[in-house]
Amino acid sequence: MKLIIRNNAAEGSLWAAHYIAAAINAKAARTSEPFVLGLCTGSTPIGTYNELIRMVRAGEVSFKNVISFNMDEYVGLPVDHPESYHSFMHRQLFDHIDEPAANIHILDGNAADLDAECVAYEEAIAAAGGFDLFLGGVGEDGHIAFNEPFSPLCSRTRVMTLTQDTREVNARFFGGNPEAVPAQALTVGVATVLSAREVVILAFGPRKARALRDAVEGPMSHYCTLSGMQNHPAGTIVCDEAAVGELKVSSYRYFKAVEAAENRL
Ligand code: GLP
């Protein structure tokens, strides 16, 4: 895996947005096939989404031929609840870009048959041709999408019961009350994310430092599902100085040196 270390979240967000736009434009230049993009929620990707919105408005990239699949959604939360991931994505991205509504896919946490919804989601991803790029964030405990600690690294889209830790962390979006955070979510699996041809994970701020250390320096383990990235041929974690605070100095220097050397080529 690669680590792109920027001074702060704003610089990391710009890097990620420009990287995604370049990937969309590169595919558009060589084929009329759609670009299949995995997307995430959380506070972390907002800066990246803001820059992508600016780039769409400036004509620097278009989402007209992008098909997106979001990684997760709460179970039982009304779609129009302000904290549903449907609401979040429309507010933070889809309402401001040119992606056709028919190309937007988000898991239905209110489906009558949740298991069938998960199976259909995997089928729809495969029918679209699989992910060109998956953009993700990471939870404080190293979870990717809603793949909580001890989720199998071979997992696919399924129903997940959230840990108390995650409900407490996400309580800030629900009036500070962990009990108001839905107890379950639908989530793509670790293997669903890692099936993407390219994976870009954003990790900003000191609260992500432990997750980053476990994912980068620890063993590949279900304990920290982001560590599955170690086995991906084209995985990049975009982080800021605060998020690498728990890495060994030697690891930090290694990733900085690799990036500097590649920039010189
Ligand atoms: C939730 C989401 C994850 C996200 C994580 C971190 O658990 N399911 O996809 O990465 O929150 O959120 P934040 O970016 O707000 O720190």
Side-chain angles (χ1 to χ4, degrees), residues 3-264:
L3 245 62
I4 298 293
I5 305 167
R6 287 292 172 270
N7 289 323
N8 51 48
E11 289 180 17
S13 300
L14 284 189
W15 189 96
H18 289 221
Y19 190 83
I20 293 164
I24 293 170
N25 288 338
K27 185 164 184 182
R30 67 173 189 273
T31 172
S32 58
E33 293 285 307
F35 189 91
V36 183
L37 180 62
L39 292 172
C40 62
T41 58
S43 33
T44 307
I46 291 176
T48 300
Y49 291 161
N50 287 344
E51 178 63 3
L52 284 170
I53 291 166
R54 188 202 63 74
M55 294 180 85
V56 169
R57 287 180 176 154
E60 295 168 25
V61 68
S62 170
F63 279 68
K64 283 201 176 112
N65 201 24
V66 171
I67 297 181
S68 66
F69 291 85
N70 263 79
M71 39 170 53
D72 46 18
E73 177 58 287
Y74 290 114
V75 167
L77 199 63
V79 165
D80 59 1
H81 186 287
E83 295 307 332
S84 80
Y85 288 170
H86 281 75
S87 297
F88 174 96
M89 286 307 300
H90 283 277
R91 193 167 61 235
Q92 299 295 346
L93 184 66
F94 297 141
D95 288 353
H96 314 286
I97 61 173
D98 56 353
E99 181 173 350
N103 290 7
I104 294 169
H105 300 83
I106 306 179
L107 283 154
D108 179 2
N110 293 292
D113 184 338
L114 294 174
D115 293 332
E117 169 70 9
C118 294
V119 169
Y121 207 64
E122 287 280 343
E123 287 171 356
I125 293 165
F131 289 109
D132 289 295
L133 189 152
F134 214 126
L135 175 71
V138 61
E140 293 180 23
D141 57 7
H143 73 248
I144 182 169
F146 263 132
N147 293 286
E148 299 281 34
F150 311 115
S151 294
L153 298 183
C154 62
S155 51
R156 290 279 171 178
T157 305
R158 68 205 185 291
V159 184
M160 190 77 212
T161 300
L162 304 184
T163 63
Q164 187 59 24
D165 279 359
T166 294
R167 293 178 81 195
E168 280 171 17
V169 168
N170 288 2
R172 68 191 192 280
F173 300 117
F174 291 85
N177 177 15
E179 295 305 312
V181 180
Q184 291 190 308
L186 300 186
T187 180
V188 296
V190 181
T192 316
V193 176
L194 298 180
S195 70
R197 290 180 270 285
E198 199 165 354
V199 180
V200 175
I201 299 293
L202 308 175
F204 303 136
R207 291 187 299 108
K208 305 298 169 70
R210 182 171 59 95
L212 211 67
R213 179 198 62 201
D214 290 346
V216 175
E217 294 174 344
M220 200 170 80
S221 161
H222 59 178
Y223 173 71
C224 168
T225 53
L226 181 63
S227 69
M229 282 277 281
Q230 293 176 15
N231 209 27
H232 194 281
T236 302
I237 301 180
V238 185
C239 44
D240 62 2
E241 292 284 347
V244 293
E246 294 285 331
L247 286 192
K248 290 178 188 154
V249 173
S250 55
S251 308
Y252 175 87
R253 286 191 180 144
Y254 167 81
F255 288 113
K256 280 292 211 187
V258 168
E259 192 193 346
E262 290 191 347
N263 285 343
R264 281 195 298 274

